[in-house]
């Protein structure tokens, strides 16, 4: 469903991704873990077309998202836009539209992009917001909602575009501890009830272990180790994975 | 010179007519300024080669020359090139163009203040560029600059007195002509100033209150 082939990304001298090869199969739930600055967010942002690689090929659902030869400029192509439609993203900082109600946030893209008629879009938005437990907050604007509620609206908003791939970039790291559970609950439910491909960056190790089919550890823009969650967490082969897990679990 | 109360009362109707012209010019000029300024600000931000730079130059040029010079040029020079408008229409256009440059800068700041995450969310939802602008960015950018635009409206109302120089029969011009035909300037000019104040003071108070109420929600 997702492939990275020989993808490189640099900012100045800082080589964030180094000829990365990475793959996620259809329907797979994959967690990316790794130390700060290892390039986890960059991978998701390239998939969401918020950053462009300096080099390499990225495909989503069989469509070319990026195809950049060394030394050429990446450009926005028609196929990229088609590929992007298959991807939805949930941001660390929610990024809801603050001037729109929860309902309007969720309806906006289906109406404007999928050209769904308003009534149909509204009905679906109501269903999605009910699914994430916000039936009582349809008309509330984001500033009136708690962080956990905002993030759940953001999940509903991304789902409204019926993505084949959902990206989560530390979806709970901006939340107060007591609100983390409600958001993880929604993501967990999503993982169990859909065959959507999910790629998430998280520092919630227990959650990653429970929800993932596969876990990949990253360091310095490379995959250090990948495998089933119980292997990675209980029996890591790589020294660097062990070190990272030790550091996180001691926290 | 002593204040002549009955003279003062007798000229109020004429002054109110002048005030009416002032208000009309201000509102029409402001309408041009907010629309034109928005178009300029958006095009500049789109970074269209040549065009965006030309509009950047437009903003600098308009802001860098006095309103009075612009008014004289429009009134005396443009007709020589076949662009002939009445004094009032010329006045409205000059005010609108002049303030459009200031409005463009205000919008630009407003657009810049919209957090990057808003653009990114729009991209993540595949919103087309026009929806991103119309539905996501501009509503937030404009909301945050409404009070500043309001202050410009008040400033424009006062600046419109400049147009008396190009024979627009607005409030100041009305006061001057009453003065010159009666050889008494005290009452008409005082009352004209008072009328300017009676409109502009409550208006700016209103926009200050609005500013507090519209404080950003991010
Ligand atoms: N826009 C940018 N300009 C310059 N450098 C950047 C930019 N975005 C990211 N970087 C750099 O790229 C590296 C990887 O960043 P990235 O955000 O992908 O890390 P991460 O693994 O998500 O880390 P964290 O766990 O802290 O979120 C970091 O060194 C960061 O400073
Ligand atoms: Mg990150």
């Amino acid at each position: 469903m997702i492939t990275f082939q020989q993808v490189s990304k640099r900012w100045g001298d800082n080589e964030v991704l180094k000829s990365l090869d990475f793959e996620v199969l259809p329907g797979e739930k994959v967690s990316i873990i790794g130390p700060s600055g290892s390039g986890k967010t960059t991978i998701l942002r390239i998939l969401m077309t918020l950053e462009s690689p300096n080099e390499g090929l990225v495909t989503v659902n069989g469509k070319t998202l990026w195809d950049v030869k060394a030394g050429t400029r990446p450009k926005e192509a028609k196929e990229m836009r088609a590929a992007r439609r298959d991807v939805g993203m949930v941001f660390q900082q929610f990024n809801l539209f603050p001037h729109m109600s929860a309902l309007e946030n969720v309806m906006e893209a289906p109406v404007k992009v999928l050209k769904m008629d308003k009534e149909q879009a509204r009905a679906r938005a109501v269903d999605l917001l009910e699914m994430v437990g916000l039936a009582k907050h349809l008309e509330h604007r984001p500033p009136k909602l708690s962080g956990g509620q905002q993030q759940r609206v953001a999940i509903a908003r991304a789902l409204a575009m019926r993505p084949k791939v959902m990206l989560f970039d530390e979806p709970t790291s901006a939340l107060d501890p007591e609100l983390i559970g409600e958001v993880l609950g929604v993501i967990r439910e999503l993982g169990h009830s859909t065959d959507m491909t999910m790629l998430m960056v998280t520092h919630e190790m227990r959650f990653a272990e429970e929800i993932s089919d596969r876990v990949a550890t990253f360091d310095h823009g490379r995959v250090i180790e990948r495998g089933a969650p119980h292997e990675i967490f209980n029996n890591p082969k790589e020294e660097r994975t062990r070190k990272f897990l030790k550091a996180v679990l001691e926290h | 010179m002593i204040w002549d109360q009955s003279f003062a009362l007798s000229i109020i109707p004429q002054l109110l007519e002048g005030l009416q012209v002032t208000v009309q010019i201000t509102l029409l000029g402001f309408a041009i300024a907010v629309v034109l300024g928005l178009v300029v600000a958006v095009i500049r931000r789109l970074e269209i080669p040549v065009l965006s730079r030309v509009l950047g130059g437009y903003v600098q040029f308009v802001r860098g020359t006095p309103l009075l010079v612009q008014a004289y040029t429009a009134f005396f020079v443009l007709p020589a090139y076949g662009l002939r408008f009445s004094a009032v229409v010329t006045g409205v256009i000059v005010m609108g163009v002049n303030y459009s440059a200031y409005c463009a800068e205000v919008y630009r700041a407003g657009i810049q203040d919209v957090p990057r995450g808003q653009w990114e969310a729009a991209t993540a939802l595949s919103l087309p560029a026009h929806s991103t602008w119309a539905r996501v960015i501009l509503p937030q950018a404009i909301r945050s600059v409404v009070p500043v635009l309001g202050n410009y409206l008040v400033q424009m109302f006062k600046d419109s007195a400049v147009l008396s120089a190009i024979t627009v029969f607005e409030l100041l011009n009305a006061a001057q002509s009453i003065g010159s035909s009666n050889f008494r300037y005290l009452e008409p000019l005082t009352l004209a100033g008072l009328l300017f104040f009676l409109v502009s003071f409550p208006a700016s108070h209103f926009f200050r209150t609005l500013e507090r109420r519209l404080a950003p929600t991010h």
Side-chain angles (χ1 to χ4, degrees):
Chain A
M1 181 58 77
I2 300 172
T3 65
F4 279 66
Q5 285 174 32
Q6 297 289 305
V7 174
S8 300
K9 176 68 185 176
R10 291 179 290 276
W11 275 284
D13 291 341
N14 184 5
E15 191 161 32
V16 176
L17 301 182
K18 294 165 192 160
S19 301
L20 174 73
D21 288 307
F22 183 65
E23 192 176 43
V24 180
L25 301 175
E28 232 184 351
K29 323 297 186 224
V30 175
S31 293
I32 299 178
I33 61 174
S36 183
S38 57
K40 306 180 299 293
T41 295
T42 303
I43 291 174
L44 300 195
R45 290 175 60 83
I46 286 175
L47 279 168
M48 201 64 263
T49 71
L50 300 173
E51 303 288 358
S52 53
N54 296 101
E55 207 179 316
L57 177 72
V58 180
T59 69
V60 171
N61 196 21
K63 296 167 208 158
T64 303
L65 189 70
W66 294 109
D67 184 4
V68 189
K69 308 268 182 304
T72 62
R73 284 166 67 84
K75 49 181 181 287
E76 188 155 326
K78 198 171 169 202
E79 194 172 344
M80 173 215 267
R81 288 196 287 274
R84 176 166 60 201
R85 285 237 196 141
D86 290 333
V87 184
M89 181 158 177
V90 173
F91 299 88
Q92 207 171 339
Q93 301 294 342
F94 331 134
N95 295 347
L96 291 177
F97 304 135
H99 56 299
M100 296 184 191
S101 68
L103 195 60
E104 289 166 335
N105 264 280
V106 180
M107 285 172 63
E108 187 64 21
V111 171
K112 289 287 186 286
V113 182
L114 304 178
K115 310 287 177 207
M116 214 181 259
D117 76 58
K118 274 218 161 135
E119 283 320 301
Q120 197 188 349
R122 175 182 303 270
R124 250 179 62 76
V126 170
D127 285 348
L128 285 166
L129 287 167
E130 275 174 4
M131 191 190 84
V132 298
L134 292 174
K136 289 205 189 76
H137 300 280
L138 302 180
E139 302 301 333
H140 291 168
R141 291 188 180 183
K144 288 260 179 304
L145 300 173
S146 73
Q149 291 168 332
Q150 289 190 52
Q151 192 59 300
R152 286 183 283 150
V153 174
I155 293 170
R157 179 176 72 172
L159 290 174
M161 288 296 286
R162 305 179 196 277
K164 301 210 163 48
V165 176
M166 275 283 269
L167 309 175
F168 296 87
D169 188 11
E170 300 192 33
T172 57
S173 65
L175 298 177
D176 294 336
E178 72 272 19
L179 301 177
I180 290 176
E182 62 191 52
V183 172
L184 293 185
V186 166
I187 299 173
R188 182 183 295 122
E189 181 56 33
L190 207 58
H192 291 320
S193 64
T194 68
D195 56 4
M196 213 167 14
T197 306
M198 288 166 58
L199 181 59
M200 66 202 104
V201 174
T202 181
H203 287 309
E204 301 285 332
M205 296 302 151
R206 195 143 297 146
F207 178 71
E209 178 166 11
E210 171 196 351
I211 189 179
S212 312
D213 301 317
R214 226 152 40 94
V215 174
T217 47
F218 264 74
D219 200 9
H220 293 104
R222 288 219 172 88
V223 181
I224 302 298
E225 186 169 1
R226 65 181 80 190
H230 63 90
E231 282 170 24
I232 299 279
F233 289 110
N234 302 326
N235 194 13
K237 294 190 181 58
E238 297 289 329
E239 179 58 27
R240 268 191 284 179
T241 309
R242 242 170 278 160
K243 268 198 180 146
F244 169 70
L245 287 174
K246 190 158 173 280
V248 176
L249 295 177
E250 272 171 3
H251 226 63
Chain B
M1 200 177 248
I2 303 166
W3 182 265
D4 181 341
Q5 183 68 8
S6 65
F7 176 59
L9 287 174
S10 75
I11 61 174
I12 284 179
Q14 269 171 286
L15 289 173
L16 286 178
E17 270 173 44
L19 177 64
Q20 201 183 346
V21 174
T22 292
V23 168
Q24 280 167 354
I25 288 177
T26 304
L27 293 178
L28 289 172
F30 187 67
I32 293 175
V34 291
V35 173
L36 190 58
L38 185 60
V39 171
V40 169
V42 170
I43 293 178
R44 286 189 73 188
R45 169 77 191 221
L46 290 176
E47 289 174 12
I48 301 168
V50 187
L51 186 57
S52 294
R53 282 178 157 269
V54 168
L55 290 180
Y58 163 88
V59 169
Q60 295 308 328
F61 180 76
V62 172
R63 282 167 18 120
T65 51
L67 178 59
L68 186 57
V69 173
Q70 292 167 10
Y72 274 140
T73 309
F75 191 66
F76 293 114
V77 180
L78 291 185
Y81 295 93
L83 291 165
R84 206 173 293 277
F85 303 107
S86 70
V88 172
V89 172
T90 307
V92 166
I93 294 173
V94 166
M95 294 298 285
V97 166
N98 181 270
Y99 272 83
S100 74
Y102 293 92
C103 289
E105 288 295 276
V106 172
Y107 287 125
R108 187 164 83 135
I111 291 167
Q112 227 152 39
D113 283 349
V114 175
R116 200 173 57 147
Q118 295 291 306
W119 294 94
E120 295 186 345
T123 302
L125 293 169
S126 289
L127 287 183
H130 62 88
S131 304
T132 302
W133 278 104
R135 307 274 308 171
V136 178
I137 305 302
L138 292 181
Q140 298 181 62
I142 292 173
R143 177 180 312 229
S144 69
V145 302
V146 162
V148 185
L149 294 178
N151 286 331
Y152 277 157
L153 176 63
V154 176
Q155 203 176 317
M156 209 168 167
F157 169 72
K158 294 180 289 180
D159 276 0
S160 68
V162 161
L163 299 179
S164 62
I166 59 165
T167 77
V168 177
F169 205 74
E170 45 66 66
L171 179 51
L172 177 61
N173 204 348
Q176 277 172 333
S177 79
I178 294 168
S180 63
S181 52
N182 294 282
F183 306 105
R184 284 192 73 89
Y185 285 95
L186 174 65
E187 294 83 359
L189 287 178
T190 308
L191 287 174
L194 191 65
L195 285 174
F196 273 116
F197 181 74
L198 284 178
V199 175
S200 68
F201 182 73
S204 42
H205 180 77
F206 170 77
F207 289 117
R208 262 203 307 280
T209 317
L210 200 63
E211 185 163 10
R212 277 195 293 274
R213 280 199 39 207
L214 287 181
T217 49
H218 290 292

